[in-house]
Coordinates of all heavy atoms in Angstrom, one line a residue:
T12 N 19.5 40.1 18.9 CA 18.4 39.9 18.1 C 18.7 39.9 16.6 O 19.8 40.4 16.2 CB 17.1 40.9 18.4 OG1 16.0 40.4 17.8 CG2 17.5 42.3 18.1
F13 N 17.8 39.5 15.8 CA 18.1 39.4 14.3 C 16.9 39.9 13.6 O 15.8 39.7 13.9 CB 18.3 38.0 13.9 CG 19.6 37.3 14.6 CD1 19.4 36.6 15.8 CD2 20.8 37.3 14.0 CE1 20.5 36.1 16.5 CE2 21.9 36.7 14.7 CZ 21.8 36.1 16.0
G14 N 17.2 40.4 12.4 CA 16.0 40.9 11.5 C 16.6 41.5 10.3 O 17.8 41.9 10.2
T15 N 15.7 41.8 9.3 CA 16.1 42.5 8.1 C 16.0 44.0 8.4 O 16.8 44.8 7.9 CB 15.2 42.1 7.0 OG1 15.2 40.7 6.9 CG2 15.6 42.7 5.6
F16 N 14.9 44.4 9.1 CA 14.8 45.8 9.4 C 14.7 46.8 8.1 O 15.3 47.8 8.1 CB 15.7 46.3 10.5 CG 15.7 45.6 11.7 CD1 16.6 44.6 12.0 CD2 14.8 45.7 12.7 CE1 16.7 43.8 13.2 CE2 14.7 45.0 13.9 CZ 15.7 44.0 14.0
D17 N 14.1 46.2 7.1 CA 13.8 47.0 5.9 C 12.7 48.0 6.0 O 11.7 47.7 6.7 CB 13.7 46.1 4.7 CG 13.8 46.7 3.4 OD1 14.5 47.8 3.2 OD2 13.2 46.2 2.4
H20 N 10.4 50.8 10.7 CA 9.0 51.3 11.1 C 8.8 51.1 12.6 O 9.8 50.6 13.2 CB 7.8 50.5 10.3 CG 8.0 49.0 10.5 ND1 7.7 48.4 11.6 CD2 8.0 48.1 9.5 CE1 7.8 47.0 11.4 NE2 7.9 46.9 10.1
G22 N 7.2 49.2 14.5 CA 7.2 47.8 15.1 C 8.7 47.5 15.3 O 9.0 46.8 16.3
H23 N 9.6 47.8 14.5 CA 11.0 47.5 14.5 C 11.6 48.3 15.8 O 12.3 47.6 16.7 CB 11.8 48.0 13.4 CG 11.5 47.3 12.1 ND1 11.5 47.8 10.8 CD2 11.1 45.9 11.9 CE1 11.2 46.9 9.9 NE2 11.0 45.7 10.5
V26 N 10.3 46.7 19.2 CA 10.9 45.4 19.6 C 12.4 45.7 20.0 O 12.8 45.0 20.9 CB 10.7 44.3 18.4 CG1 11.8 44.6 17.3 CG2 10.9 42.9 19.1
R29 N 12.4 47.3 23.6 CA 11.9 46.4 24.6 C 13.0 45.3 24.8 O 13.3 44.9 25.9 CB 10.6 45.7 24.2 CG 9.4 46.5 24.5 CD 8.1 45.8 24.2 NE 8.0 45.8 22.7 CZ 7.1 45.0 22.0 NH1 6.4 44.1 22.7 NH2 7.1 45.0 20.7
K51 N 13.4 35.6 1.6 CA 12.2 36.1 1.2 C 11.9 36.3 -0.2 O 10.9 36.9 -0.7 CB 11.9 37.5 1.8 CG 12.0 37.5 3.4 CD 11.6 38.8 4.0 CE 11.6 38.8 5.5 NZ 11.3 40.0 6.2
R53 N 13.2 38.2 -2.4 CA 13.3 39.5 -3.0 C 14.4 40.3 -2.3 O 14.8 40.0 -1.1 CB 12.0 40.4 -2.9 CG 11.6 40.5 -1.5 CD 10.4 41.7 -1.5 NE 9.7 41.6 -0.2 CZ 10.2 42.5 0.8 NH1 11.3 43.1 0.8 NH2 9.5 42.4 2.0
M98 N 13.2 37.6 19.9 CA 12.6 37.7 18.6 C 11.2 38.1 18.8 O 10.5 37.9 19.8 CB 12.7 36.4 17.9 CG 14.1 35.9 17.4 SD 15.0 37.0 16.3 CE 13.9 37.0 14.9
G99 N 10.5 38.6 17.6 CA 9.1 38.9 17.7 C 8.4 37.5 17.8 O 8.9 36.6 17.4
D100 N 7.1 37.6 18.3 CA 6.4 36.4 18.4 C 5.9 35.7 17.1 O 5.3 34.6 17.2 CB 5.5 36.4 19.4 CG 4.3 37.4 19.2 OD1 4.3 37.9 18.1 OD2 3.4 37.5 20.1
D101 N 6.1 36.4 15.9 CA 5.9 35.7 14.7 C 6.9 34.6 14.5 O 6.7 33.7 13.7 CB 6.0 36.7 13.5 CG 7.2 37.7 13.6 OD1 7.7 38.0 14.6 OD2 7.7 37.9 12.5
W102 N 8.0 34.5 15.3 CA 8.9 33.5 15.3 C 8.8 32.5 16.4 O 9.7 31.6 16.7 CB 10.4 34.1 15.4 CG 10.7 35.0 14.2 CD1 10.5 36.3 14.1 CD2 11.0 34.5 12.9 NE1 10.9 36.8 12.8 CE2 11.3 35.7 12.1 CE3 11.3 33.2 12.4 CZ2 11.7 35.6 10.7 CZ3 11.8 33.2 11.1 CH2 11.9 34.3 10.3
P119 N 5.8 40.2 22.0 CA 4.6 40.3 21.1 C 4.9 41.3 20.0 O 5.5 42.5 20.2 CB 3.5 40.8 22.0 CG 4.1 40.9 23.4 CD 5.6 40.5 23.3
R120 N 4.5 41.0 18.8 CA 4.7 41.9 17.6 C 3.8 43.3 17.8 O 2.8 43.1 18.4 CB 4.3 41.3 16.4 CG 5.3 40.7 15.6 CD 4.8 39.9 14.4 NE 4.5 40.7 13.3 CZ 5.4 41.0 12.3 NH1 6.5 40.5 12.4 NH2 5.1 41.7 11.3
T121 N 4.2 44.3 17.3 CA 3.3 45.6 17.3 C 2.3 45.2 16.3 O 2.7 44.9 15.1 CB 4.1 46.8 16.9 OG1 5.2 46.9 17.8 CG2 3.3 48.0 16.8
P122 N 1.0 45.4 16.5 CA -0.1 45.1 15.6 C -0.1 46.0 14.4 O 0.3 47.2 14.5 CB -1.3 45.2 16.4 CG -1.1 45.9 17.7 CD 0.5 45.8 17.9
V124 N 1.4 46.6 11.6 CA 2.5 47.2 10.7 C 3.6 46.2 10.4 O 3.9 45.3 11.2 CB 3.2 48.4 11.4 CG1 3.8 48.0 12.8 CG2 4.2 49.1 10.6
S125 N 4.0 46.2 9.1 CA 5.1 45.3 8.7 C 5.6 46.0 7.4 O 5.0 46.7 6.8 CB 4.6 44.0 8.4 OG 3.9 43.8 7.1
T126 N 6.9 45.6 7.2 CA 7.5 46.1 5.9 C 6.8 45.7 4.8 O 6.5 46.5 3.8 CB 8.9 45.5 5.9 OG1 9.7 46.0 7.1 CG2 9.7 45.9 4.6
T127 N 6.3 44.5 4.7 CA 5.6 44.0 3.5 C 4.3 44.8 3.2 O 4.0 45.2 2.2 CB 5.2 42.4 3.7 OG1 6.4 41.8 4.1 CG2 4.5 41.9 2.5
T128 N 3.5 45.0 4.3 CA 2.4 45.9 4.1 C 2.6 47.2 3.7 O 1.9 47.9 2.8 CB 1.4 45.9 5.3 OG1 2.1 46.3 6.5 CG2 0.7 44.6 5.6
Ligands
CTP1 N1 8.5 43.1 14.5 C1 7.6 43.4 15.4 N2 6.4 44.1 15.1 C2 6.1 44.3 13.9 C3 7.0 43.9 12.8 C4 8.2 43.3 13.1 O1 7.9 43.2 16.6 N3 5.0 44.9 13.6 C5 9.8 42.5 14.7 C6 9.9 41.0 14.3 O2 9.3 40.2 15.0 C7 11.4 40.9 14.2 C8 11.9 42.3 14.0 O3 10.8 43.2 14.2 O4 11.8 40.4 15.6 C9 12.4 42.4 12.6 O5 11.4 42.1 11.7 P1 11.4 42.0 10.1 O6 11.1 40.7 9.5 O7 12.7 42.7 9.6 O8 10.2 43.1 9.9 P2 8.7 42.9 9.2 O9 8.0 44.2 9.3 O10 8.1 41.7 9.9 O11 9.1 42.5 7.7 P3 8.3 41.7 6.7 O12 7.0 42.3 6.5 O13 9.3 41.7 5.4 O14 8.2 40.2 7.1

Side-chain angles (χ1 to χ4, degrees):
T12 191
F13 298 89
T15 306
F16 303 101
D17 189 25
H20 59 67
H23 294 149
V26 77
R29 281 181 286 162
K51 297 189 180 177
R53 65 168 166 79
M98 291 301 297
D100 64 2
D101 45 324
W102 296 98
R120 269 174 80 89
T121 302
V124 60
S125 76
T126 298
T127 308
T128 52

